[in-house]
Amino acid sequence: MPTIKYCVVFIVIHFFITVEGFSQNKPLKVYEKNGIALNSYNFEGLQSFLNQKNDTLYVINFWATWCVPCVKELPYFEKLNQKYKNEKFKMILVSLDFPKMIESRVIPFIINKNLQAEIVVLNDPDANSWIEKVAKEWTGAIPATVIYRNDKRKFYEQSFTEEELETQIISFMN
Amino acid sequence: MKKFKIAFLLLAAGLITAFNTIKPAGYEIGSIATDFSLKNVDNKMVSLKDYKEAKGFIVIFTCNHCPYAVAYEDRIIDLDKKYKKLGYPVIAINPNNPEKQKDDSFDKMKVRAKEKGFTFPYLFDDGQKIYPQYGATKTPHVYVLQKTDKGNVVKYIGAIDDNHSDETAVEQKYVQNAVDALLKNQDVKVKTTKAIGCSIKA
């Protein structure tokens, strides 16, 4: 009998953990390889990452393994994520790699670069329908980054140095 | 008081100039597109004015290295095959600086054009001077131009279609729709679209 009780408690706790935060979005697909699990979303699924109102500072970066300037700036994102992750801070790296590259390239890349920030895949080919929902001024070039906290929001169609990125992050903290 | 006024005017003029420089340059629908003289992969110089018979152009900023550009290569060839004979040839321009992106060197452009059997000129924007005038920010980035007495008028800016990854799932062929409309002397319905692409490396 106590086993069942524990089971129920476990399931209830598990349920709350799963429902909490972003997990409410149902991914299109979960890619699993070498101990890494990556959720892929269409834009509808991704959208709530871009519109949280919970005092947390969000840094959302759009990148791809084939995008040289994106790969170059990722270590800065990773470093600043490590620095701020214990505060009200959440970084999400949105990979725009093609679906067929996720297992062959993206997951090995994550392992190789030891990326710890949360990574999701956006798989929604009709980009014209969603680019302006990320930011009106986005032309569609990557790298691109959104930083926001509640209603304050900024969009950057550019590459960052570590200092530039930290300066922008700090400007959202006060 | 007069001095203040002058100072104010100067300041205002300065601000206006400053804002004008900040505003990203580039064409809008209705702009007259500049002509150019750029080197093709066959080492000959190509200009729009060379195309006496053309009714317009499908100018595509594209490159070797970008997976989005590569995904569209076959579709760009198809566009050229279909529309060159109707008066709208494809003119492809690689805007990237090979010092920043080695795979986009002029020599590698020649290799790629041969491998894929490009039916259109594939030009090198040497010194990266032409793409900023158009306002291209990424590859691929399309400008459909219509030849008029005033010059080559920009009629469409944006993506080739609405699905880069799966040609069979395309629902909107933006460039084809635009050129088809121009050929029928109709207004282009969807004049601008956006797509993900690789930022141009200047």
Side-chain angles (χ1 to χ4, degrees), chain A residues 1-158:
Chain A
M1 231 11 210
T3 339
I4 292 174
K5 214 174 179 180
Y6 280 126
C7 265
V8 170
V9 170
F10 177 74
I11 288 166
V12 169
I13 290 172
H14 188 80
F15 177 75
F16 277 108
I17 291 170
T18 329
V19 167
E20 192 255 349
F22 300 123
S23 317
Q24 65 215 25
N25 305 337
K26 202 175 168 293
L28 287 178
K29 186 173 173 177
V30 182
Y31 294 89
E32 285 187 273
K33 197 186 165 191
N34 300 337
I36 303 269
L38 264 190
N39 287 351
S40 103
Y41 298 94
N42 59 12
F43 187 72
E44 202 187 333
L46 184 85
Q47 214 166 8
S48 76
F49 294 72
L50 291 159
N51 295 295
Q52 298 287 316
K53 300 212 169 164
N54 52 15
D55 291 328
T56 302
L57 198 171
Y58 288 87
V59 177
I60 319 272
N61 172 251
F62 293 86
W63 68 288
T65 56
W66 44 259
C67 162
V68 176
C70 305
V71 170
K72 192 178 167 208
E73 67 176 8
L74 273 182
Y76 315 142
F77 280 79
E78 185 62 33
K79 203 167 157 191
L80 294 168
N81 184 51
Q82 290 301 321
K83 185 167 175 182
Y84 293 109
K85 69 177 182 188
N86 296 323
E87 301 183 33
K88 281 200 133 194
F89 180 89
K90 176 80 187 163
M91 181 177 285
I92 299 161
L93 306 175
V94 182
S95 159
L96 290 165
D97 284 89
F98 298 169
K100 59 175 186 241
M101 302 300 242
I102 305 303
E103 278 158 347
S104 61
R105 261 187 90 167
V106 180
I107 291 180
F109 180 89
I110 293 168
I111 294 169
N112 188 19
K113 301 273 177 189
N114 193 22
L115 298 180
Q116 302 293 316
E118 179 167 352
I119 297 165
V120 300
V121 175
L122 173 58
N123 178 12
D124 199 331
D126 183 12
N128 187 52
S129 70
W130 54 260
I131 283 176
E132 291 200 350
K133 291 181 188 163
V134 175
K136 201 107 189 90
E137 65 268 40
W138 189 9
T139 71
I142 57 171
T145 303
V146 174
I147 303 179
Y148 78 95
R149 186 184 187 190
N150 297 330
D151 291 327
K152 186 182 176 190
R153 173 181 293 261
K154 259 177 131 175
F155 174 76
Y156 310 83
E157 186 170 323
Q158 64 169 84

Side-chain angles (χ1 to χ4, degrees), chain B residues 95-168:
Chain B
N96 286 331
N97 179 354
E99 282 173 27
K100 299 279 171 63
Q101 184 63 255
K102 290 191 178 61
D103 286 336
D104 290 330
S105 70
F106 188 59
D107 284 340
K108 293 206 170 167
M109 283 170 63
K110 290 180 177 175
V111 173
R112 193 63 193 161
K114 203 171 170 194
E115 272 173 4
K116 289 298 297 180
F118 285 173
T119 55
F120 45 82
Y122 185 24
L123 313 177
F124 179 51
D125 188 3
D126 196 6
Q128 287 69 54
K129 294 193 177 83
I130 298 301
Y131 88 82
Q133 297 185 51
Y134 277 71
T137 59
K138 60 188 186 292
T139 52
H141 203 152
V142 183
Y143 293 76
V144 174
L145 314 179
Q146 185 179 39
K147 202 192 264 186
T148 71
D149 298 341
K150 289 177 287 176
N152 294 304
V153 180
V154 177
K155 290 290 184 175
Y156 171 81
I157 303 174
I160 292 170
D161 58 41
D162 67 354
N163 196 324
H164 61 80
S165 72
D166 183 2
E167 193 180 345
T168 59

